[in-house]
């Protein structure tokens, strides 16, 4: 089961004790994946379609607990989209369907259905707890979360731009910085930051999934931190090795041209120490000298040796250069 499916499974078991919150969640589900059929006799029938059995079960439970409505559930195989099962929950009784539409404010006093089941300026989202329920219902109906082991991405797909804008506004009341992008004929409300996805899971009241995501984020941050440290240490080691190789070449060139006996005692001492300990650090070289010398002193002497080697190379005839 994917991470997104696990989140929906957890949310499907989250039934609010407050009737107004259940109505807000039903409104979101109807708005994003519901259909209303009106017969020639002006009789209403409500249907929702979903490929997720947990969403179908949640919708069935919400209608039962909130309105004591008996619904029909049918299952068919979708021949177009990966041949998944499609679950359809139907409220076929006109009076029951009318009660649901009136409670969710998806139908006006004059009996007009909101365009595209619009919930714009809907009073069912006035309270903070109802806005939480609305976001939860929207995610169950048309949302998904990527596998956090790979990357962070949360989205809810809306059929109309107005729905996407309203959903973004509702999410912003919880300091969630969601954005909207058009994808083909749909409008996608999305979040890409891991910390914001943690926050939206908290808003939707999915504590188990939240903790799973937090654990993954902590492990990823630890791995990234370790990798950065290893890369830094590797770069330092490579830099130290390259410097040591150059120092040894310069010292050997001095030895083979003018000899160590022409060097001042302090430079000769460092040159001999470096040849004896090619892998030693500056600190270790300084401790090996008599008397001991600090890192900056060793570095200064090695730099003087390198400068001397460069001068000798410049003064050397071309044949000597080719030998090197």
């Amino acid at each position: 089961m994917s991470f997104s499916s696990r989140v929906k499974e957890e949310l499907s078991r989250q039934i609010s004790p407050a009737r107004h919150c259940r109505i807000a969640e039903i409104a979101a589900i109807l708005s994003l994946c519901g259909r209303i059929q009106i017969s020639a006799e002006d009789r209403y029938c409500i249907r929702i379609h979903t490929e997720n059995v947990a969403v179908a079960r949640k919708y069935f439970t919400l209608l039962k607990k909130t309105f004591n409505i008996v619904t029909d559930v049918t299952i068919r195989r979708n021949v177009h989209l990966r041949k998944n099962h499609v679950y359809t929950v139907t409220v076929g009784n006109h009076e029951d369907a009318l009660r649901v539409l009136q409670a969710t404010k998806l139908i006006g006093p004059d009996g007009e259905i909101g365009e595209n089941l619009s919930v714009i300026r809907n009073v069912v989202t006035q309270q903070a707890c109802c806005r939480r329920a609305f976001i939860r219902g929207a995610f169950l109906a048309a949302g998904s979360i990527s596998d956090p082991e790979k990357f962070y991405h949360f989205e809810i797909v809306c059929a109309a731009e107005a729905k996407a804008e309203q959903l973004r506004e509702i999410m912003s009341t919880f300091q969630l910085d969601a954005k909207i992008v058009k994808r083909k004929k749909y409008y996608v409300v999305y979040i890409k930051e891991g910390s914001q996805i943690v926050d939206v899971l908290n808003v939707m009241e999915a504590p188990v999934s939240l903790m799973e995501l937090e654990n993954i984020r902590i492990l990823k941050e630890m791995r990234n931190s370790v990798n950065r440290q290893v890369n830094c240490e590797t770069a330092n080691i490579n830099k130290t090795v390259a410097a040591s190789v150059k120092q040894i070449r310069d010292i050997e060139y001095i030895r083979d041209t003018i000899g160590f006996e022409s060097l001042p005692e302090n430079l000769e001492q460092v040159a001999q120490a470096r040849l004896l300990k090619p892998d030693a650090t500056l600190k270790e070289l300084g401790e090996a000298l008599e008397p001991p010398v600090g890192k900056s002193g060793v570095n200064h002497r090695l730099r003087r040796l390198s400068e001397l080697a460069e001068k000798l190379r410049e003064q050397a005839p071309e044949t000597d250069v080719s030998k090197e």
Side-chain angles (χ1 to χ4, degrees):
M1 183 184 290
S2 68
F3 180 73
S4 187
S5 296
R6 292 198 297 276
V7 174
K8 289 191 176 185
E9 182 67 33
E10 181 181 3
L11 293 177
S12 71
R13 297 191 296 271
Q14 175 71 267
I15 306 295
S16 175
R19 186 174 188 271
H20 49 82
C21 291
R22 295 199 297 268
I23 289 173
E25 194 164 350
I26 292 170
I29 294 173
L30 274 175
S31 178
L32 271 71
C33 67
R35 300 286 186 276
I36 296 178
Q37 291 181 333
I38 305 176
S39 68
E41 295 80 22
D42 287 336
R43 311 291 285 181
Y44 295 131
C45 173
I46 300 174
R47 287 191 173 89
I48 69 152
H49 305 282
T50 177
E51 293 183 9
N52 192 307
V53 65
V55 176
R57 184 174 63 243
K58 177 69 176 286
Y59 184 58
F60 177 90
T61 305
L62 286 171
L63 290 173
K64 180 68 176 175
K65 283 186 173 290
T66 309
F67 300 102
N68 196 27
I69 290 175
V70 177
T71 57
D72 296 324
V73 181
T74 58
I75 305 172
R76 65 180 177 83
R77 185 176 291 277
N78 191 332
V79 297
H80 300 294
L81 299 174
R82 304 183 301 278
K83 297 184 178 180
N84 293 337
H85 287 110
V86 176
Y87 302 89
T88 302
V89 183
T90 305
V91 180
N93 182 277
H94 170 73
E95 286 74 20
D96 290 341
L98 192 58
R99 284 169 56 206
V100 174
L101 292 172
Q102 288 172 341
T104 55
K105 302 298 186 289
L106 294 174
I107 188 171
D110 55 358
E112 286 293 321
I113 302 293
E115 185 180 357
N116 293 320
L117 289 181
S118 175
V119 288
I120 309 303
R121 293 182 295 278
N122 197 319
V123 296
V124 301
T125 59
Q126 286 185 341
Q127 299 185 66
C129 58
C130 294
R131 291 196 293 273
R132 288 177 181 270
F134 188 90
I135 295 170
R136 182 165 61 241
F139 175 75
L140 282 169
S144 64
I145 301 181
S146 64
D147 181 355
E149 291 279 8
K150 298 177 181 176
F151 58 94
Y152 301 123
H153 185 83
F154 170 97
E155 71 175 34
I156 298 175
V157 180
C158 302
E161 185 176 9
K163 290 183 182 181
E165 289 288 354
Q166 187 213 23
L167 181 57
R168 180 171 66 175
E169 287 176 12
I170 290 175
M171 294 173 72
S172 70
T173 64
F174 297 101
Q175 286 73 53
L176 296 170
D177 186 21
K179 298 196 170 41
I180 297 175
V181 65
K182 188 174 182 181
R183 186 186 298 160
K184 296 183 180 178
K185 62 179 181 178
Y186 298 102
Y187 293 85
V188 181
V189 182
Y190 71 93
I191 296 173
K192 282 189 172 293
E193 291 185 13
S195 60
Q196 287 270 294
I197 296 175
V198 169
D199 291 340
V200 79
L201 289 174
N202 182 49
V203 168
M204 294 191 300
E205 300 176 301
V208 175
S209 300
L210 185 154
M211 290 305 299
E212 182 181 351
L213 177 55
E214 280 285 50
N215 289 336
I216 291 172
R217 287 183 67 224
I218 290 169
L219 287 174
K220 286 178 73 173
E221 287 175 8
M222 286 178 62
R223 282 198 294 265
N224 290 338
S225 177
V226 169
N227 287 339
R228 284 194 297 270
Q229 188 173 350
V230 168
N231 291 339
C232 183
E233 289 178 355
T234 301
N236 288 337
I237 290 171
N238 290 338
K239 185 178 178 182
T240 301
V241 169
S244 177
V245 169
K246 184 180 184 306
Q247 290 163 7
I248 291 172
R249 286 179 179 170
D250 290 340
I251 290 168
E252 289 176 340
Y253 187 80
I254 293 171
R255 180 196 62 191
D256 297 341
T257 52
I258 63 173
F260 289 158
E261 61 274 6
S262 62
L263 296 175
E265 184 180 352
N266 61 343
L267 296 187
E268 180 184 0
Q269 195 178 19
V270 170
Q272 296 282 10
R274 172 52 84 194
L275 291 181
L276 289 172
K277 297 183 176 183
D279 299 326
T281 63
L282 295 181
K283 182 180 178 182
E284 291 168 345
L285 283 178
E287 291 172 349
L289 300 178
E290 187 62 41
V293 178
K295 286 172 58 178
S296 60
V298 173
N299 187 51
H300 175 70
R301 295 181 188 184
L302 288 171
R303 188 165 60 248
R304 286 180 60 192
L305 288 169
S306 293
E307 291 171 357
L308 176 58
E310 288 302 317
K311 286 182 180 179
L312 291 173
R313 289 189 181 99
E314 292 173 3
Q315 296 169 2
E318 204 167 314
T319 54
D320 287 348
V321 175
S322 63
K323 284 179 185 178
E324 190 198 356

